[in-house]
Amino acid sequence: MQFIGLDISKNKCDVCWLKESETGKRKTKVIKNTQAGHESLKNWLQATVKAAPEHMVLILEPTGVYHESIMYFLHDHGFNILLANPGKAKQYAESINLTHKTDKSDAFMLANYGCAQQSNLALWQPEAKEIRVLKALLRRLDTLESDRQRELNRLDSSEFSLSSERVVLSLKDMICTLESEIEKLKQDINNHINGNPQLKRNRALLESIPGIGPVLSRELTYLFAAKQFSNARQVGAYAGLIPKLHESGKLKGRTTLTKTGPAKLRAKLYMAAIVAGRYNVSVRLQKEALLKRGKTSMQVLGANMRKLVQICYGVIKNQQEYQPQVI
């Protein structure tokens, strides 16, 4: 296998082919992050590396949305893609004493990282088309809801800043427009999910759990369709809900959540766990037991969030509606 690191930004992509891992011999190139640039990269790899696409592994880190088009393009042309975990890639860079951080050095580090992982390569596989469409719709909904909240905040502050009536009217018009588009998009998301039998069933299973409403169910419907989890603990880890122990000197037994992964998902789980703590028997009993053991309210809420998302994993894995397990 030949290992090529790609450091991707909005406008360009630094490429590093690791010719010899023992000596660090390499060959580099910079391309534009455009469709034409992607085509030139494909041609350069085939002409320079002189190996078939299936014998090359291209390693890259997720960079917002800027890595997506080149990743799908290269996969469609037969190249193997390794999507590196940014945290693990950073730890690897530190382990090889890579002190300078530039786009070129990052591409070299990623190529080395891929080579070091060659005995256990977990190659990236693209999502099905219906999952990619759902992802785009949910991403757009998040953007519009954030825009609406910003405008609501501005409208609230306008009462104290003595804004003109025209400014207030503009804010109200914009909020009205955003709310209208948000409702249309929610309906489009519902129609898209209902148009796919498996997505529709998974959402219904999720909504059978007390505490899971339409907002969280559509997020988790996408999550369980897009990510392959082996067990419930992996779901909790992905959502950043695994407790992390802090001990130093006289400070003993303090735990916090890791808070890795998508913050927006945790925010929605936070509100759902509050509801589940009242209406979901399993979560409520856990809450009462932890409070009796002297856990703080935030520790209890973190545990409730983790239990709730693990229950969600269970109903999806077993394809059965939620049944409370009370001992």
Side-chain angles (χ1 to χ4, degrees):
M1 281 290 185
Q2 300 294 323
F3 296 91
I4 300 98
L6 305 179
D7 184 74
I8 302 168
S9 61
K10 179 180 179 180
N11 297 316
K12 69 183 180 74
C13 172
D14 284 79
V15 186
C16 177
W17 168 36
L18 187 64
K19 295 181 71 174
E20 295 180 7
S21 59
E22 296 82 4
T23 62
K25 190 175 181 181
R26 73 200 82 165
K27 196 167 184 64
T28 63
K29 184 176 179 61
V30 179
I31 63 158
K32 292 182 178 179
N33 193 6
T34 61
Q35 288 296 325
H38 303 166
E39 188 70 37
S40 70
L41 171 61
K42 175 178 72 73
N43 295 335
W44 181 82
L45 288 171
Q46 291 175 328
T48 307
V49 181
K50 292 182 171 58
E54 59 268 24
H55 295 142
M56 297 187 219
V57 179
L58 282 72
I59 307 95
L60 55 124
E61 291 179 296
T63 53
V65 298
Y66 301 127
H67 68 289
E68 292 184 356
S69 60
I70 190 170
M71 187 169 63
Y72 283 105
F73 174 86
L74 291 169
H75 185 275
D76 289 344
H77 285 83
F79 293 90
N80 297 301
I81 306 296
L82 176 61
L83 192 61
N85 180 297
K88 291 183 178 179
K90 182 180 179 181
Q91 290 175 354
Y92 177 78
E94 292 171 350
S95 72
I96 61 173
N97 296 319
L98 190 64
T99 54
H100 300 293
K101 180 170 173 49
T102 64
D103 295 339
K104 185 176 289 188
S105 68
D106 281 350
F108 176 62
M109 179 274 291
L110 288 170
N112 277 280
Y113 176 76
C115 185
Q117 301 293 316
Q118 62 182 303
S119 61
N120 187 29
L121 285 176
L123 297 176
W124 172 81
Q125 294 296 324
E127 301 156 346
K129 184 178 179 180
E130 63 270 16
I131 309 305
R132 290 163 64 179
V133 171
L134 180 58
K135 178 182 180 180
L137 290 170
L138 289 171
R139 184 181 286 169
R140 179 60 180 164
L141 180 61
D142 277 341
T143 300
L144 291 179
E145 289 180 334
S146 297
D147 290 343
R148 178 183 60 181
Q149 188 57 55
R150 279 192 289 269
E151 292 296 271
L152 286 168
N153 292 342
R154 293 181 182 119
L155 180 61
D156 184 58
S157 64
S158 69
E159 298 177 5
F160 300 94
S161 61
L162 302 177
S163 296
S164 69
E165 292 183 5
R166 181 65 186 88
V167 171
V168 173
L169 179 62
S170 174
L171 288 167
K172 289 182 177 179
D173 286 346
M174 183 58 70
I175 291 168
C176 184
T177 300
L178 287 169
E179 287 179 343
S180 175
E181 186 60 25
I182 285 170
E183 290 306 312
K184 291 179 185 176
L185 202 53
K186 285 180 180 178
Q187 188 58 54
D188 289 340
I189 291 170
N190 291 338
N191 291 341
H192 181 75
I193 291 175
N194 292 335
N196 183 284
Q198 189 58 58
L199 293 178
K200 182 179 180 180
R201 174 165 176 75
N202 283 355
R203 189 175 191 184
L205 291 170
L206 289 166
E207 291 186 351
S208 72
I209 303 170
I212 304 296
V215 173
L216 189 54
S217 69
R218 62 174 172 250
E219 295 287 338
L220 292 175
T221 297
Y222 162 72
L223 176 65
F224 289 119
K227 306 290 183 182
Q228 301 300 316
F229 299 107
S230 300
N231 52 60
R233 180 178 172 80
Q234 284 187 358
V235 187
Y238 172 82
L241 301 175
I242 299 299
K244 180 171 61 175
L245 181 63
H246 294 267
E247 287 189 348
S248 178
K250 294 182 179 180
L251 182 64
K252 299 292 182 182
R254 179 171 173 259
T255 60
T256 60
L257 299 179
T258 55
K259 292 187 178 180
T260 56
K264 288 185 177 180
L265 175 61
R266 280 195 303 279
K268 292 179 173 67
L269 281 167
Y270 178 90
M271 299 305 299
I274 292 175
V275 176
R278 297 177 61 188
Y279 301 107
N280 186 306
V281 176
S282 302
V283 177
R284 188 178 74 243
L285 290 177
Q286 181 198 46
K287 175 182 176 182
E288 293 170 354
L290 290 174
L291 288 172
K292 286 180 181 179
R293 288 165 52 189
K295 299 296 184 181
T296 67
S297 58
M298 289 306 296
Q299 286 176 324
V300 172
L301 191 53
N304 288 168
M305 292 166 66
R306 186 167 60 255
K307 186 172 186 65
L308 187 59
V309 78
Q310 289 174 346
I311 290 172
C312 292
Y313 169 80
V315 301
I316 295 297
K317 179 182 178 181
N318 298 316
Q319 289 292 291
Q320 294 180 353
E321 291 189 0
Y322 169 70
Q323 296 293 330
Q325 295 179 347
V326 181
I327 300 176

